[in-house]
Amino acid sequence: MAVLASEPVELEKSMSKHSEVISAHSVTIPGVERKSTGSSKDLSADQMVELLESNTFTGTYRLYRRRFVGLVALVFLNLIAAMSWPWFGPISNSVASDFGISLDEVNWLGNIVAVVYLPTALLIPLVISRYGIRRCCEIGAVALILSAWIRYSGTARSLSPRGSYALLILGQFFVSIAQPTYQVIGPKYSETWFNLNGRTTATMIVAISNPVGGALGQLISPLIGDSRRSILILGIMSTAVAPLIFLIHKAPPTPPTYAASRKPQSLLSLVRAMLGLRVEAAAYMTRRERIDFAIIIANFAVLVAASNGFAILSAQILEPVGYSDDESGLMGACLLLSGMVAAIISAPLFDRVFMHHLAVTAKFMVPIAAVGWFSLIWAVRPNNTAALFAIMAVIGVCSVPMLAVGMELACELTRNADGSSAIVWFSGNLFAVVFILVAGALREGSDASPPLNMKRYLIFMGVIVITVCSSVFFLHGAQKRKSLDQEKANEVLLSNQELLQRTGS
C-alpha cells in the first residue's frame, strides 16, 4: 500500500499489517506545529487502518514506492542520452583524422545537439500536457535507438568523408531529441511523484545524471579504441538502456502534494506571465518573481554553456598547451564527477535543512564557480596539471548542485515545472551554441605560439561568466510553491484530525 501523507511520517509500530499506511496523527509538516486532538477516545490502530482504507479521508496525499523505480529508469536514460553530446570532444583530433573532416566539423557533432535541443525543449511541455510523462519518454527512447545505429552506419570505410559525416550528423540529430526529453522532464517527474521532503532530491538526481553522463562520455570515448569502435560502443549502450521506459508511469493514482494535483499550466501562459501580460490567477507572476526568474535563466545559461563548452572543446583547449587526449577527458570528468559527489551530499540537505534557503545557497556557490571559470585564463598553461584538476573540482562542486537548485527555484517562482524547466534548459543550450561558435572564431592560427591555442576564448568565457553571475546577488527567490503546498497539507492534516476525533467520539 502507498504511503499516506504529504511529508515524512513515523510508522505506527502496531500497524505491522499495513506498515506503509501512516496515521494522520503522526503527520509532520515543516514549519507547522502539529495540534493534538485532545480526545480521550482516540481510535485504535486497527480502527485507524480501517478508516484509512475506506477512503473516508478527503484531500489525502499519498506516496508510492514505484516512484523510485521510475526515477532510476529516468536517471539511466538521461545518463546515456547525455553521453553523445561531449563524446567527440576528447577524441576530436582523432575523429577529424579518421573521417577526413575538419575540427570545426567535429565541433558541429556537438553543436547539432544544442541546436536541435532548442525547439525540442519547448515542445516537451506540450507533449507532457497532452500525452503524459510516459509517452514523452517513449519518444525519447525511439530517438535514442535511431541515433545509435544511424551514427554507427556512418563508420563504414566504404563511405566518402562527406557521406560518413552526413550520417554522423543525422545520428546526432536524433540524439538531440532524446537528450532534452530526459533533462526537461526531471522537475515535472519530481513534482508529480515526490513530496516536499523528496522533491529537490529527485530533481537533483535527474539533473546530475546528465552531466555525469557527459563526464562518462568524456572518460570512456578516448579509452575504448579508435573512433569507429568508440561509436559502436556508444550505440550498444544506447540500445541497451531504451527498454527502461517501461518502468516509468504517467502519474500516481493519488498526488503527493497540492502542486501535483493541479492542472498543468501551458508554456504559453508562462511566457505571457513573464512578459507581464494578462493570465489566469494560477499562472500570474509578480514583478519581483519575473525579475528573479530572469536572473535564474541568465545564471543557469552561462554556467551550463561554460560546462558544456568545456566538455566539447576540452581537447582543443588543453592539447595546444601540452596535455593529452586522456588528460583532457579526465579534467572534464573531474569537473562533473566532483559535482556529482557534491550534489549527492547536498540534495538531502536542500530537502530537509535548507529547504527555504535555496536562493541564499545560490548566492554563495554561484560566484565561486564563476571565479573558477575566470581563473582558467591564467591556469591553462603547460605543466599546470595539479592546479587545473583543483580548479575543475571547485567548479564542479559549486556549479553542478546549482542545476537542481536553479530548476527548483524556477518551479517555485513560476509554479510551472515543465515550462520553467524547458526555458532554463533552452537558455543553457542556446548559450552553449554561442560559446562554441565563438570558440571556433577566437581560435588562434597555426602560426601562433602555441599553435591553435584558445587563450582568447578563455578570456571571453571568463569575462561573460563572472559578469552575468554577479547578478545572483540581486536574487530574492521566494519559494511560493513550497509555501502553498505546506499550507494545503496543513489544511488536510487538521481536517482529517477533526474527522478522526469525531469518529472516535
Side-chain angles (χ1 to χ4, degrees):
M1 182 181 289
V3 176
L4 172 66
S6 61
E7 291 298 321
V9 293
E10 296 181 1
L11 296 178
E12 298 288 345
K13 294 182 180 179
S14 63
M15 300 167 66
S16 58
K17 179 181 176 182
H18 303 276
S19 60
E20 295 178 39
V21 181
I22 289 115
S23 166
H25 286 288
S26 37
V27 177
T28 301
I29 301 174
V32 178
E33 182 178 354
R34 183 167 61 86
K35 297 181 180 180
S36 173
T37 61
S39 173
S40 60
K41 300 181 179 180
D42 288 342
L43 296 176
S44 68
D46 289 339
Q47 288 174 319
M48 285 191 287
V49 170
E50 182 180 354
L51 186 60
L52 290 168
E53 291 185 335
S54 68
N55 292 322
T56 304
F57 285 139
T58 58
T60 300
Y61 303 126
R62 306 179 74 172
L63 287 174
Y64 297 83
R65 285 184 176 178
R66 74 186 76 162
R67 69 192 186 276
F68 295 114
V69 178
L71 181 65
V72 170
L74 193 57
V75 164
F76 277 98
L77 287 161
N78 200 7
L79 188 148
I80 298 299
M83 285 186 179
S84 299
W85 188 343
W87 188 266
F88 299 98
I91 57 173
S92 56
N93 293 319
S94 300
V95 172
S97 175
D98 291 345
F99 290 92
I101 57 180
S102 67
L103 282 175
D104 283 337
E105 288 174 322
V106 175
N107 287 349
W108 269 101
L109 295 176
N111 278 351
I112 187 66
V113 178
V115 171
V116 179
Y117 190 115
L118 301 179
T120 304
L122 298 181
L123 291 174
I124 289 170
L126 177 62
V127 175
I128 293 175
S129 63
R130 289 192 178 184
Y131 304 109
I133 292 174
R134 168 69 174 272
R135 183 55 53 85
C136 190
C137 291
E138 289 172 350
I139 293 172
V142 171
L144 195 60
I145 294 172
L146 288 174
S147 73
W149 300 110
I150 291 174
R151 188 170 47 221
Y152 178 65
S153 67
T155 65
R157 295 182 184 277
S158 59
L159 292 172
S160 67
R162 292 297 92 191
S164 292
Y165 185 65
L167 290 171
L168 291 176
I169 279 285
L170 184 60
Q172 291 296 91
F173 171 87
F174 279 103
V175 87
S176 309
I177 298 172
Q179 182 174 352
T181 298
Y182 301 121
Q183 263 192 313
V184 171
I185 210 171
K188 183 62 179 177
Y189 183 86
S190 64
E191 181 183 79
T192 302
W193 285 91
F194 287 81
N195 62 10
L196 298 187
N197 274 23
R199 200 157 59 191
T200 303
T201 300
T203 299
M204 182 81 75
I205 290 171
V206 176
I208 67 173
S209 64
N210 188 269
V212 168
L216 292 176
Q218 292 180 84
L219 187 63
I220 294 171
S221 63
L223 299 178
I224 53 177
D226 61 26
S227 58
R228 286 180 167 82
R229 180 179 176 82
S230 176
I231 291 171
L232 172 61
I233 297 299
L234 179 59
I236 292 172
M237 291 190 294
S238 299
T239 304
V241 79
L244 292 178
I245 58 170
F246 298 112
L247 302 178
I248 301 173
H249 298 275
K250 181 178 180 180
T254 303
T257 61
Y258 173 72
S261 69
R262 297 173 61 199
K263 178 183 177 182
Q265 298 295 318
S266 67
L267 180 63
L268 179 60
S269 69
L270 175 55
V271 173
R272 290 180 59 87
M274 288 170 57
L275 297 175
L277 302 177
R278 181 176 297 178
V279 292
E280 58 183 291
Y284 176 75
M285 295 175 65
T286 65
R287 182 180 180 183
R288 181 68 251 178
E289 288 172 337
R290 296 199 300 271
I291 293 172
D292 280 355
F293 189 39
I295 292 172
I296 290 171
I297 292 172
N299 282 267
F300 195 96
V302 297
L303 290 177
V304 168
S307 297
N308 289 344
F310 186 82
I312 292 172
L313 300 166
S314 57
Q316 298 173 52
I317 292 172
L318 297 169
E319 284 187 18
V321 292
Y323 299 94
S324 66
D325 280 356
D326 290 350
E327 288 173 320
S328 301
L330 287 171
M331 286 183 190
C334 175
L335 185 158
L336 296 171
L337 294 178
S338 63
M340 177 190 71
V341 173
I344 291 171
I345 294 172
S346 64
L349 297 176
F350 288 131
D351 267 329
R352 299 173 183 273
V353 180
F354 304 117
M355 58 188 304
H356 295 288
H357 303 288
L358 298 183
V360 174
T361 306
K363 290 178 182 180
F364 177 74
M365 301 288 278
V366 169
I368 297 175
V371 171
W373 286 116
F374 189 71
S375 70
L376 291 181
I377 297 172
W378 299 275
V380 175
R381 64 176 189 267
N383 304 315
N384 198 31
T385 305
L388 284 171
F389 272 110
I391 291 171
M392 292 297 105
V394 169
I395 292 173
V397 167
C398 293
S399 61
V400 173
M402 292 301 100
L403 292 177
V405 169
M407 286 189 288
E408 281 296 296
L409 276 174
C411 294
E412 296 290 339
L413 293 166
T414 64
R415 279 80 62 193
N416 188 328
D418 48 342
S420 60
S421 178
I423 288 175
V424 295
W425 280 117
F426 175 95
S427 65
N429 285 272
L430 176 61
F431 272 64
V433 173
V434 173
F435 274 39
I436 293 167
L437 292 177
V438 169
L442 295 180
R443 184 189 297 115
E444 297 285 1
S446 56
D447 57 344
S449 178
L452 304 177
N453 75 79
M454 305 285 280
K455 180 78 169 184
R456 291 192 297 171
Y457 168 69
L458 292 174
I459 295 172
F460 164 83
M461 178 182 66
V463 170
I464 293 295
V465 170
I466 204 165
T467 301
V468 173
C469 288
S470 63
S471 66
V472 76
F473 293 111
F474 301 98
L475 179 67
H476 286 196
Q479 297 174 231
K480 187 174 180 180
R481 181 185 64 163
K482 189 180 292 289
S483 298
L484 188 59
D485 278 341
Q486 290 177 334
E487 178 185 336
K488 295 296 182 181
N490 189 42
E491 290 176 4
V492 170
L493 169 65
L494 296 178
S495 174
N496 289 336
Q497 283 182 329
E498 291 173 1
L499 178 59
L500 279 173
Q501 185 176 7
R502 289 197 304 270
T503 305
S505 301

